Amino acid sequence: MSALIPLPESIPAFLESYLPTGARPFHVTLTYAASIDSRIAAAPGTQTAISHLETKTMTHYIRSQHDAILVGIGTVLADDPGLNCRWKALPSDPTHFIRPVIIDPAFKWQPQGSRLIRTCQENAGLAPYVVIAETHELTQEQQQNIKIITDHGGKVLPLPVDNSGQIAWPTIFTALQETGLESVMVEGGARVINRLLLEPELVASLIVTIGPVYLGAEGVEVSPARSCRLRSVQWWSGTQDSVLAAHLDSYPAQVVPT
Amino acid sequence: MSALIPLPESIPAFLESYLPTGARPFHVTLTYAASIDSRIAAAPGTQTAISHLETKTMTHYIRSQHDAILVGIGTVLADDPGLNCRWKALPSDPTHFIRPVIIDPAFKWQPQGSRLIRTCQENAGLAPYVVIAETHELTQEQQQNIKIITDHGGKVLPLPVDNSGQIAWPTIFTALQETGLESVMVEGGARVINRLLLEPELVASLIVTIGPVYLGAEGVEVSPARSCRLRSVQWWSGTQDSVLAAHLDSYPAQVVPT
């Protein structure tokens, strides 16, 4: 866990029109960092440094503008992340507490000894809300895990699965909204991002950091099942990375001769 | 074939240290345009509009700085490209004639009726040099195709294949250099780019245009077999696209916890 650096001065203005404003009842921001070849990790289950410390700081700034941060269980198992917000405008400002949300239909997450629970115990973050499939039959261990999560102030949210056996995104976001959350930043992993890139009616904004490295064909890739277009595109570039901010467009990419 | 627009004023200074200067006896620039998910086309064998007209104009400016432009046969069969240079600093300047080079081990290219030969007949470009495997046995039709190519001022270059059945890049570049060419811009396709990204000792510069669209998992992707790092990275962004200019580094990407 590296210390943050000062936020580049031009970042807040660059991101302003992509962050939650209260105009939508529930604002979803999709954000991730990838290599030039659109890999978020060099291999499944591993964590790879891609972004510069200034764009990592930007990520914590974006967290400071959201009520919740959502990741898939794969990311939690691979990275054991803290998912808190370490950015403050001034050192004397209070910590912004962002609510971690884990999408974990089969409830694989082990809270005991996790960095998430540790971060919570150190009063540096909140315990997560864990979204599980309501059809999932809980083991005794999982029932104990629910107790650990709730004892730390988190929740387990059992939600219905659709015909494909997945919990639909509108179901997830409605359930989160009903807990009082008004904005969520989705940080990964690839499976979550690839699904949400195809849900333009649910996603308000997209923020992608591109780090100047190729992670190679064996890496974990972001590429949705179908093409998708963006609008209101802006780019920011820093010491090392380029950042794209955009809105999702609902039309398929045009395939035309050039 | 769309008309070019004025070159953005900041492009020549941005690209200056990545273009041939005569400092190397043979300068190879690797360049391509891809979607955010690192696809150069939405499906194999198709051509997809990715870059804005201003970065397309940049591509012709880059062509104006090279002796040759190299593509794989797959790109020629998919796109029937012109591979000429349409950029001029002033309308009254003479056309820059860039030599097309096609890597075509089995000599699949059909010159008859191709846009390359038409461009040559219209005095808007040069006939290509076609690199074929010297082990390839020529059919009668292929012998006639050699005549068409040479009649238009092009060449067929039969080169030895290595143990893997491919013509090695040093063999290709040495042969091109022996014809008097001093610089080559490699434009595609994905297979050629993926191989050359792993040859840092042969490639002087990399210029990648990223268009703000996702072409999706079925697209033709750029991602080398192994990870690779870049150095001397600079970014430029325009109306729609972001452009990366860099040199290839010879070290594998570092995989470390963040």
Side-chain angles (χ1 to χ4, degrees), chain A residues 38-224:
Chain A
S38 199
R39 265 64 182 168
I40 61 169
T46 65
Q47 194 178 23
T48 309
I50 293 169
S51 56
H52 189 270
L53 209 42
E54 73 191 357
T55 41
K56 194 184 163 101
T57 299
M58 177 190 78
T59 298
H60 280 263
Y61 168 73
I62 299 171
R63 290 181 184 181
S64 78
Q65 308 292 309
H66 288 82
D67 290 349
I69 177 172
L70 182 151
V71 295
I73 180 64
T75 298
V76 177
L77 297 179
D79 300 355
D80 187 23
L83 299 180
N84 61 350
C85 173
R86 293 192 277 119
W87 187 84
K88 296 175 179 189
L90 296 169
S92 59
D93 283 351
T95 298
H96 171 73
F97 284 97
I98 186 166
R99 177 68 64 182
V101 176
I102 308 174
I103 307 300
D104 186 11
F107 199 13
K108 294 180 187 166
W109 188 53
Q110 297 282 354
Q112 198 76 53
S114 68
R115 196 166 133 212
L116 272 166
I117 292 294
R118 217 160 58 238
T119 302
C120 174
Q121 287 165 340
E122 290 162 0
N123 201 29
L126 301 177
Y129 290 175
V130 183
V131 172
I132 69 170
E134 69 178 14
T135 50
H136 180 76
E137 276 185 47
L138 295 169
T139 64
Q140 203 166 9
E141 188 191 17
Q142 286 172 330
Q143 279 162 352
Q144 284 161 358
N145 287 342
I146 292 180
K147 187 167 183 325
I148 298 172
I149 293 165
T150 52
D151 282 353
H152 285 86
K155 284 185 206 290
V156 172
L157 304 171
L159 297 180
V161 298
D162 62 19
N163 293 336
S164 71
Q166 292 184 319
I167 307 170
W169 288 109
T171 306
I172 292 170
F173 293 145
T174 302
L176 294 179
Q177 198 179 349
E178 281 169 5
T179 69
L181 298 169
E182 292 179 0
S183 58
V184 60
M185 171 182 179
V186 177
E187 280 204 19
R191 200 163 153 266
V192 165
I193 295 163
N194 287 336
R195 282 174 64 198
L196 278 173
L197 281 169
L198 299 177
E199 303 268 11
E201 67 286 4
L202 299 180
V203 175
S205 312
L206 172 71
I207 302 169
V208 182
T209 296
I210 303 174
V213 62
Y214 289 84
L215 291 180
E218 302 302 312
V220 179
E221 93 173 331
V222 171
S223 185

Side-chain angles (χ1 to χ4, degrees), chain B residues 20 29 31 59-70 82-87 94-101 116 119-120 123-129 181 183-187:
Chain B
T29 305
T31 179
T59 298
H60 280 263
Y61 168 74
I62 299 170
R63 290 181 183 179
S64 79
Q65 309 291 309
H66 288 81
D67 291 348
I69 177 170
L70 183 151
L83 299 179
N84 63 350
C85 173
R86 294 190 276 120
W87 187 83
T95 297
H96 172 71
F97 284 98
I98 187 165
R99 177 67 66 182
V101 175
L116 272 166
T119 302
C120 174
N123 202 29
L126 302 176
Y129 290 176
L181 298 169
S183 59
V184 60
M185 172 181 178
V186 177
E187 279 205 18

Side-chain angles (χ1 to χ4, degrees), chain A residues 1 32 36-39 42 47-49 56 197 206 208 210 212-217 221-230 233 235 237 240-242 244 253-258, chain B residues 1 32 36-39 42 47-49 56 197 206 208 210 212-217 221-230 233 235 237 240-242 244 253-258:
Chain A
M1 196 170 75
Y32 66 94
I36 306 173
D37 53 343
S38 199
R39 265 64 182 168
Q47 194 178 23
T48 309
K56 194 184 163 101
L197 281 169
L206 172 71
V208 182
I210 303 174
V213 62
Y214 289 84
L215 291 180
E221 93 173 331
V222 171
S223 185
R226 300 188 302 277
S227 65
C228 63
R229 292 180 82 81
L230 306 178
V233 173
W235 293 94
S237 59
Q240 175 196 288
D241 306 334
S242 187
L244 167 131
Q254 208 183 353
V255 179
V256 292
T258 46
Chain B
M1 197 169 75
Y32 66 95
I36 306 173
D37 53 342
S38 199
R39 265 62 182 170
Q47 195 178 20
T48 309
K56 193 181 163 105
L197 280 169
L206 172 71
V208 182
I210 302 173
V213 62
Y214 289 83
L215 291 180
E221 93 172 331
V222 171
S223 185
R226 300 189 302 279
S227 65
C228 63
R229 290 180 82 80
L230 306 178
V233 173
W235 293 93
S237 58
Q240 176 196 287
D241 306 334
S242 186
L244 166 131
Q254 209 184 351
V255 179
V256 293
T258 45

